[in-house]
Amino acid sequence: MPVPGPGYSITVRVEAPPSASAAGDLTSAAGRVGGVITAFDVVDSHSDRVVVDITCNAMSADHARDITDALEALPGVAVRKVSDRTFLMHLGGKIEVTAKVALRNRDDLSRAYTPGVARVCQAIAENPDDARRLTIKRNTVAVVTDGSAVLGLGNLGPAAALPVMEGKAALFKKFAGVDAWPVCLDTQDTEEIIRAVELIAPVYGGINLEDIAAPRCFEIERRLRDLLDIPVFHDDQHGTAICVVAALRNALRVVGKDIADCRVVVCGVGAAGSAIIRLLLRRGPGDVLAVDVDGIVHPDRGDIDDNLCWVARNTNKDKVTGGLHDALVGADVFIGVSAPNLFGADQVATMAPGAIVFALANPDPEVDPLEAQKHAAVVATGRSDYPNQINNVLAFPGVFRGLLDAQAHGITDTMLLAAADALADIVDGDRLNASFIVPSVFDAAVAPAVADAVRKAAGTAHSG
Ligand SMILES: NC(=O)c1ccc[n+]([C@@H]2O[C@H](COP(=O)([O-])OP(=O)(O)OC[C@H]3O[C@@H](n4cnc5c(N)ncnc54)[C@H](O)[C@@H]3O)[C@@H](O)[C@H]2O)c1
């Protein structure tokens, strides 16, 4: 059941009679249809009317219209304008470039630009490593997408992906001081994407691939890692894997189980699921059962691609067959990165005692968290309106901060695991409980701790 939230927040400008009851009538009318008022501002006043801005959280675009209609239906009230606050935030984009140097006079110009800049160019031509010292490369990441898997919305193309990539860049800056820039490519051809990223790479200290559909994303990342001398990190894969491995470590501490004794069901073997499985296997689980839309992955299943072949070879020790519900029986852990509403409380009840359920499909999880809580000891989702929100923003800013500081040329599983441990360790023993297995995304300690761990794992001291 959705609740009114800031994602569907509107400001309605109304004219109302200047009566003593006007404010109460307006707020009651919005409240009666389920609107949650967050601000009420009188912006103008006349002898015969007042002009009021009512800011209100809604559940959906339709619900926002219901609220506006309810206000308009009041006697003497006229709606002048309705502003969608989310769209207002995106007007003109969310990021910009600012100069770090003053350009006040001819002297400044001569050093920042010609003729002085020429000597800096020559220095880099003679010693290409100087690019990291003398240009934006040392702190800049490209956020590259082809728009083929935008959030949970599917193939929206590069222009429609831009608001997400801008948001990502804003998060990079806010949480880790990284200058990230959206690169939305107008192609969904694997070879063209690889070539385009190769061509732009000189500017960047790292490449963050984003919202590129599986299985294309696997080949693009693998080939770019071979081609480039900077780290290439597909956040939908590895950012998710870091957060899940961290959260699982803490959830296991809550239920007092050792991962070596646990059977873990991973539902969804796409971008996120495949990376979770690969990183999780480094932690030595008792067994992993991978499940996709066609059921449990096993080596004798026909028609499986290279990715599923690898998963089949490295999971499912007992070669179990069947569907998700079969996989859940006796399982210690469920990790879902697949599709909404796949099971209910009855299936959670078939899991082992002290079950851990991470239902991460967005926006609607694999199981309703309130249903899962009836039988599971720990429940996490990707949602901000429940405890234990697993969100990649816990990982990617710190990961790139560490990679850039270390001037890393690549990224390894050791770095990913170091990031996961650092993230888990933020939640110390005093704060750890079933409703707090991961820190808040606004915990200022997160990005520095993750960055420090990645920097150390990269084996190079912070260059300052
Ligand atoms: N909360 C988080 O941090 C987080 C991070 C990454 C992904 N996700 C969510 O996980 C989901 C998957 O993301 P992705 O990028 O890996 O997508 P993807 O398209 O690459 O993979 C989806 C996988 O789910 C499987 N699947 C689909 N329907 C299924 C069903 N009915 N039963 C079992 N398996 C089914 C598919 O076979 C595929 O293996 C999305 O909802 C995404 O929003 C959440």
Side-chain angles (χ1 to χ4, degrees), residues 36 50 57 74 81 152 172-173 221 230 234 254 272 280 291 326 333 336 341 348-349 360 368 409 429 441 446:
V36 174
V50 286
N57 286 350
L74 290 172
K81 193 167 123 189
F172 263 119
K173 188 71 177 178
E221 185 189 63
I230 53 175
H234 183 201
V254 170
L280 197 60
V291 183
D326 305 310
V333 179
N341 304 317
V348 181
L360 306 181
D368 180 333
H409 293 291
V441 296
V446 170

Side-chain angles (χ1 to χ4, degrees), residues 171-183:
L171 294 171
F172 263 119
K173 188 71 177 178
K174 154 104 185 135
F175 290 108
V178 169
D179 295 306
W181 196 255
V183 178

Side-chain angles (χ1 to χ4, degrees), residues 214 240 267-273 292-293 337-339 342 360-362 382 390-392:
T240 312
C267 183
V269 199
D292 72 357
V293 70
V337 274
S338 53
L342 300 183
L360 306 181
N362 279 320
I390 295 184
N391 186 320
N392 293 15

Side-chain angles (χ1 to χ4, degrees), residues 19 32 97 107 139 152 157 181 207 251 288 292 301 361 370 438 455:
S19 66
R32 268 197 301 278
V97 173
D107 177 279
N139 200 49
W181 196 255
I207 303 290
V288 172
D292 72 357
R301 215 175 86 173
L370 299 179
V438 282
R455 199 159 45 228

Side-chain angles (χ1 to χ4, degrees), residues 292-361:
D292 72 357
V293 70
D294 297 316
I296 298 173
V297 178
H298 58 88
D300 302 325
R301 215 175 86 173
D303 205 19
I304 54 177
D305 63 15
D306 290 352
N307 178 48
L308 283 186
C309 266
W310 187 94
V311 171
R313 275 200 310 275
N314 289 280
T315 61
N316 197 352
K317 288 177 181 162
D318 299 327
K319 310 223 182 323
V320 179
T321 60
L324 173 59
H325 294 193
D326 305 310
L328 285 172
V329 179
D332 298 281
V333 179
F334 168 82
I335 298 168
V337 274
S338 53
N341 304 317
L342 300 183
F343 61 97
D346 289 350
Q347 284 72 40
V348 181
T350 69
M351 295 176 70
I356 294 167
V357 171
F358 292 175
L360 306 181

Side-chain angles (χ1 to χ4, degrees), residues 33 37 52 80 86 90 112 128 130 134 153 246 272 284 298-299 316 387 402-403 431 437 454 459 462:
V33 291
I37 293 180
V52 182
R80 271 199 196 168
T86 299
H90 289 253
D130 269 355
L134 295 169
L153 303 169
H298 58 88
N316 197 352
L403 291 170
R431 293 195 295 164
I437 57 168
V454 170
H462 178 19

